[in-house]
Amino acid sequence: MSTPQRRPLPATRPSDYEAIVVGAGPGGSATAALLADAGHRVLVLDKAGFPRHKACSEYVNPEGARLLRDLEVEEEALALGAHRMAAMLIHTPGGGRFLADFAEAEVGRAALGLSRHKLDHLLLRRATAAGAEVMERAHVRDVLVERGSVVGVAATIDGARAELRAPLVVGADGHHSVVSRALGLDAAPPWPRKTGLVAHYRGVTGLDAWGEMHVGRHGYAGLAPLEDGLTNVAFVADAAVVSGRDGPLERFFEGGLARLPAVATKLAGAERVGGIRGVGPMARRARRTAGDGFLLVGDAASFLDPFTGEGIYEALRAAHLAAPVASAALRAGDVSAATLTPYRAARRRAFFAKRQVCWLVQGFVHAPALLDYAAARLDRRPALGRTLAGVLGDFRPAQQALSPVFLARLLRP
Ligand SMILES: Cc1cc2nc3c(=O)[nH]c(=O)nc-3n(C[C@H](O)[C@H](O)[C@H](O)COP(=O)(O)OP(=O)(O)OC[C@H]3O[C@@H](n4cnc5c(N)ncnc54)[C@H](O)[C@@H]3O)c2cc1C
């Protein structure tokens, strides 16, 4: 696959592109690749130059890994050093443990750890190889709306304002989505309001083929082994506590990790490589994910919290849900909200139940005694543990973890 190149500024004739994808994270690149695979003329705009880093724990859940296979990039991800994780070990505040064993829940299942520096560049190369045009360092500032329909975007490219037009705009511009904001769709849930901080470390010991989550009373940490002996280390705490901290962010981050004894032991001989990246508050959603002339995918559509590890999966899955709807609408020459509505319905079917599971898990993470209690029961009741591992890995229907039978078995003494 060739490296994405900076392309000359395209002409702004309406017929040049059928779709403009704003953002080249997993959601945008996968949507662009699938639309280009289907024969559409696609332009991808990203304000960054690739490869670039992204604040993320860099854990692709098992179903996300399968979607990488569907996109025919899994092999290359493994060749780039993606680290297979057959399970996720969750440490609770009272010293309990629950192993979400993906391979036990379904043979061959594993999550992948790969830096976003490598993963996102790989997916962007996939989009380019499919025929999508890519413009890096193209900062979208606004959407163009005519007669109530989105018809393009206004961007800053090489310091100059440019208007780029296409029948369909896909907002895949992540957490601070300009597309969602410009359309007045942004809605931040009042809870949880948490900030996630991440960094790469070298020399972390005691990590094997699993990722780890460590929940404390002051926040939680995640450890994910990546390529080239790197480990992603994340610390998540209340956004108000992070912004009201005394002293530098570095001290806060390292202090938070030091208060989690099992993490501190693993980091004892390790050194941080590069800076600390953060996002907060992380939870967000758009009131609508499709409308006249536009679709939203990935974080631009919604994101809750990294604890349950489905952000990249949801971005990739949303691309798979959006592309056929967008393709049919483009072929029909009708990109109205009514024609794009099946995408909203497909999202509801794909994500709604899992989101309820995520809210439940958030409740447990915020109630240490309850989390200790649940972990002890999951440990003793392997069938429940397998169900939850499959649901968290997005390869079993989330409804299984919401059924009264499951919840009763989980909560009975
Ligand atoms: C601290 C933290 C830890 C996380 N850990 C995990 C994890 O371990 N596993 C997991 O699955 N998910 C995790 N997530 C969530 C995951 O990072 C996101 O869900 C995922 O990146 C969403 O992909 P996306 O393509 O929608 O957006 P992004 O990956 O955010 O990509 C958006 C792209 O849009 C570009 N862009 C933004 N604005 C503009 C603009 N105005 N003009 C042009 N381009 C623009 C950006 O440069 C970027 O390249 C984590 C999130 C946080 C904050």
Side-chain angles (χ1 to χ4, degrees), residues 159-222:
R161 183 183 151 97
E163 290 194 351
L164 304 163
R165 288 171 176 262
L168 183 69
V169 169
V170 178
D173 47 343
H175 186 264
H176 300 290
S177 172
V178 166
V179 176
S180 164
R181 253 185 299 147
L183 294 170
L185 298 174
D186 245 17
W191 184 90
R193 289 179 65 78
K194 285 189 277 179
T195 292
L197 304 169
V198 299
H200 287 161
Y201 279 71
R202 197 177 291 287
V204 177
T205 53
L207 270 190
D208 31 38
W210 305 334
E212 296 193 1
M213 302 297 289
H214 297 255
V215 185
R217 290 170 199 280
H218 62 299
Y220 70 81

Side-chain angles (χ1 to χ4, degrees), residues 316-340:
L316 296 173
R317 181 82 195 277
H320 281 84
L321 301 176
V325 174
S327 179
L330 290 169
R331 287 196 200 295
D334 174 5
V335 291
S336 65
T339 312
L340 298 173

Side-chain angles (χ1 to χ4, degrees), residues 22-28 45-48 50 52 54-59 116 120 138-140 172-175 178 196-198 279 282 297-300 303 306 309-313 315:
V22 184
L45 303 173
D46 200 293
K47 65 181 180 183
F50 282 73
R52 55 104 180 90
K54 153 85 177 80
C56 182
S57 303
E58 303 176 315
Y59 155 91
R116 297 291 299 272
D120 290 18
H139 195 151
V140 171
D173 47 343
H175 186 264
V178 166
L197 304 169
V198 299
V279 175
M282 293 181 285
V297 301
D299 282 7
F303 181 68
E310 61 277 303
I312 297 168
Y313 155 74

Side-chain angles (χ1 to χ4, degrees), residues 181-274:
R181 253 185 299 147
L183 294 170
L185 298 174
D186 245 17
W191 184 90
R193 289 179 65 78
K194 285 189 277 179
T195 292
L197 304 169
V198 299
H200 287 161
Y201 279 71
R202 197 177 291 287
V204 177
T205 53
L207 270 190
D208 31 38
W210 305 334
E212 296 193 1
M213 302 297 289
H214 297 255
V215 185
R217 290 170 199 280
H218 62 299
Y220 70 81
L223 304 176
L226 310 174
E227 74 273 12
D228 304 331
L230 290 173
T231 299
N232 180 299
V233 179
F235 180 64
V236 175
D238 269 359
V241 174
V242 180
S243 58
R245 73 188 178 275
D246 210 11
L249 187 66
E250 188 171 279
R251 198 165 75 205
F252 177 85
F253 178 71
E254 288 172 357
L257 296 171
R259 287 170 62 193
L260 295 163
V263 176
T265 309
K266 291 191 158 95
L267 291 182
E271 61 163 338
R272 183 156 55 79
V273 183

Side-chain angles (χ1 to χ4, degrees), residues 55-227:
C56 182
S57 303
E58 303 176 315
Y59 155 91
V60 183
N61 83 5
E63 187 62 6
R66 197 192 62 73
L67 292 177
L68 292 180
R69 190 176 319 147
D70 280 1
L71 286 165
E72 297 174 351
V73 296
E74 187 197 36
E75 226 169 88
E76 202 169 334
L78 291 167
L80 289 168
H83 193 107
R84 280 175 65 85
M85 287 172 265
M88 179 60 76
L89 181 62
I90 299 165
H91 294 256
T92 67
R97 290 153 53 111
F98 160 59
L99 186 68
D101 194 330
F102 308 126
E104 185 77 19
E106 193 179 305
V107 175
R109 285 287 188 172
L112 292 178
L114 183 64
S115 70
R116 297 291 299 272
H117 196 256
K118 286 201 156 61
L119 175 67
D120 290 18
H121 198 207
L122 170 62
L123 286 165
L124 184 54
R125 290 201 302 276
R126 167 69 174 84
T128 314
E133 294 234 6
V134 177
M135 293 187 72
E136 299 177 34
R137 292 172 289 278
H139 195 151
V140 171
R141 307 288 182 176
D142 205 353
V143 294
L144 307 176
V145 179
E146 286 175 4
R147 290 183 295 279
S149 187
V150 174
V151 294
V153 297
T156 308
I157 303 167
D158 291 335
R161 183 183 151 97
E163 290 194 351
L164 304 163
R165 288 171 176 262
L168 183 69
V169 169
V170 178
D173 47 343
H175 186 264
H176 300 290
S177 172
V178 166
V179 176
S180 164
R181 253 185 299 147
L183 294 170
L185 298 174
D186 245 17
W191 184 90
R193 289 179 65 78
K194 285 189 277 179
T195 292
L197 304 169
V198 299
H200 287 161
Y201 279 71
R202 197 177 291 287
V204 177
T205 53
L207 270 190
D208 31 38
W210 305 334
E212 296 193 1
M213 302 297 289
H214 297 255
V215 185
R217 290 170 199 280
H218 62 299
Y220 70 81
L223 304 176
L226 310 174
E227 74 273 12

